Amino acid sequence: MRCQKCHQKVVIKISRANAKYCKACFIGYFEHQVRRAITKERMFSPEDRILVAVSGGKDSLALWQVLIQAGYQTAALHIDLGIERYSESSSEKVVQFAARHGQKVYTHRLKEAHQLGIVELSGELDRPPCSACGVIKRYQFNRFAMENGYTVVATGHNLDDEAARLLGNVLRWQNEYLLKQSPVLEKNEEGFVKKVKPLYRLSEYEVAAYSFLNGIDYVVEECPMSESSPMLVYKKALNLIEHQSPGTKQQFYLSFLDNQKKSPLPPSTMALHSCPACGQPTSSEVCGYCKIMSRLPGPAQKVGGPSLT
Ligand code: SF4
Ligand code: ZN
């Protein structure tokens, strides 16, 4: 089988696009999709200081690599969740990647800040680990970017992640969440920095292939907590449909975005204000992070900031 662009040997078939590529043409296709996302959605420019949220997995490291190669100003923030072997090897991959590319990475370690990892912390809170993890990550990325002059936070969410999230939000008709489901969330006066998802046009399979073909050393093991995450169920359901009807996933998500541009959902009526405890923006009395912290036992409440590793 030959590459549809240059007739070299095929290394990957992309059913949803009915395409076959050799290594060089696939890498070209992948990077073109990222550039297209950045320009089409006006994500950032070379003047921006970009904080990349890195977990050590394929998505965030592939994103960071594309941005570094394209010459953007980047640094990364990694959250060490304190899940024994998984977190140790994730942090190791992130630090090694940064060193190889001469980039800065900051790490926020939950066990250092609160003496608890995400599993113990969610036990104390009687809340699913992914829910606590989401609150902590969003808070730390936003706060760190604001306090250190980063103008954009970039995350490695791919097409599969976004389609699964859309399915979950549609199943419950969660309008507030649907409104936030966009590859770009603009900064606002209340204190949220701009957030972008440059991989939103690329599937998980394509990101894995790009990482493998570029020799990116990422943590292959999934977070052990993901097994209990509803996102996994939505992904499985969408994969079943995609298998029968390639292109459905992309159509589902990209058509939603198109419709949002043509006839948007009514804007949110939620008013934001500064959290009285920490100053970060929130629509509740105190922000989700401070609420979590106030429920932890005394010594675990300390709000520790990230450090350079
Ligand atoms: Fe956090 Fe859950 Fe994702 Fe693990 S699977 S990184 S706990 S959100
Ligand atoms: Zn707060």
Side-chain angles (χ1 to χ4, degrees):
M1 212 185 299
R2 298 279 145 193
C3 169
Q4 66 184 55
K5 283 191 84 180
C6 72
H7 303 289
Q8 296 292 311
K9 192 168 160 251
V10 161
V11 297
I12 184 165
K13 277 170 69 180
I14 304 171
S15 310
R16 71 184 174 97
N18 199 17
K20 313 187 254 302
Y21 294 119
C22 68
K23 179 177 171 181
C25 291
F26 170 68
I27 290 174
Y29 152 85
F30 187 97
E31 292 173 354
H32 170 73
Q33 290 296 327
V34 181
R35 283 196 301 274
R36 183 174 166 201
I38 294 169
T39 47
K40 183 171 181 270
E41 300 295 332
R42 298 168 193 235
M43 291 185 173
F44 42 75
S45 67
E47 287 71 46
D48 278 299
R49 293 183 69 225
I50 304 165
L51 183 69
V52 188
V54 291
S55 64
K58 62 185 183 319
D59 306 289
S60 52
L61 292 184
L63 170 63
W64 200 9
Q65 172 142 328
V66 176
L67 298 185
I68 294 167
Q69 277 171 359
Y72 288 107
Q73 305 177 57
T74 65
L77 177 56
H78 170 66
I79 312 277
D80 178 335
L81 298 171
I83 308 174
E84 302 304 335
R85 212 167 44 81
Y86 168 74
S87 293
E88 278 162 27
S89 74
S90 302
S91 299
E92 209 176 279
K93 303 284 181 199
V94 170
V95 170
Q96 281 168 359
F97 182 96
R100 205 173 305 131
H101 291 84
Q103 300 282 312
K104 272 187 183 165
V105 61
Y106 298 86
T107 301
H108 176 66
R109 294 181 183 83
L110 288 196
K111 279 200 170 159
E112 233 167 58
H114 311 295
Q115 290 104 57
L116 301 169
I118 194 67
V119 179
E120 300 82 29
L121 209 136
S122 69
E124 288 285 344
L125 298 168
D126 195 18
R127 187 175 181 151
C130 294
S131 144
C133 178
V135 172
I136 292 170
K137 281 182 174 172
R138 280 192 295 278
Y139 181 88
Q140 290 293 349
F141 288 126
N142 193 67
R143 184 166 186 167
F144 187 81
M146 288 295 291
E147 291 180 354
N148 294 280
Y150 291 94
T151 47
V152 183
V153 172
T155 58
H157 293 96
N158 58 45
L159 178 63
D160 292 48
D161 297 324
E162 292 306 287
R165 199 148 82 91
L166 178 59
L167 180 60
N169 290 336
V170 166
L171 288 175
R172 293 188 184 81
W173 291 118
Q174 287 172 305
N175 271 10
E176 280 298 331
Y177 292 136
L178 285 169
L179 279 170
K180 289 188 200 150
Q181 182 132 25
S182 163
V184 177
L185 289 176
E186 295 295 344
K187 76 169 203 169
N188 65 21
E189 296 303 315
E190 288 82 10
F192 281 126
V193 292
K194 186 171 184 177
K195 314 242 169 31
V196 299
K197 298 172 181 174
L199 303 186
Y200 79 97
R201 306 184 68 88
L202 292 151
S203 72
E204 196 159 315
Y205 169 63
E206 287 154 47
V207 181
Y210 179 84
S211 301
F212 172 75
L213 293 171
N214 275 289
I216 296 174
D217 186 15
Y218 62 90
V219 62
V220 178
E221 187 192 342
E222 293 288 338
C223 171
M225 300 302 116
S226 65
E227 279 167 28
S228 57
S229 161
M231 288 291 280
L232 199 66
V233 179
Y234 303 142
K235 280 190 178 179
K236 279 185 184 163
L238 284 168
N239 284 341
L240 267 177
I241 303 171
E242 182 75 15
H243 185 68
Q244 291 295 321
S245 176
T248 307
K249 218 183 278 179
Q250 135 186 343
Q251 209 171 17
F252 177 52
Y253 181 57
L254 299 185
S255 300
F256 165 78
L257 295 181
D258 281 348
N259 286 339
Q260 264 297 82
K261 281 187 179 149
K262 285 182 208 143
S263 53
L265 289 163
S268 171
T269 50
M270 263 189 206
L272 290 173
H273 63 92
S274 294
C275 168
C278 72
Q280 285 288 290
T282 179
S283 57
S284 313
E285 202 179 318
V286 290
C287 77
Y289 183 81
C290 288
K291 223 179 280 169
I292 283 185
M293 290 304 135
S294 69
R295 288 180 52 204
L296 291 177
Q301 289 182 14
K302 186 177 139 256
V303 180
S307 53
L308 185 62
T309 41

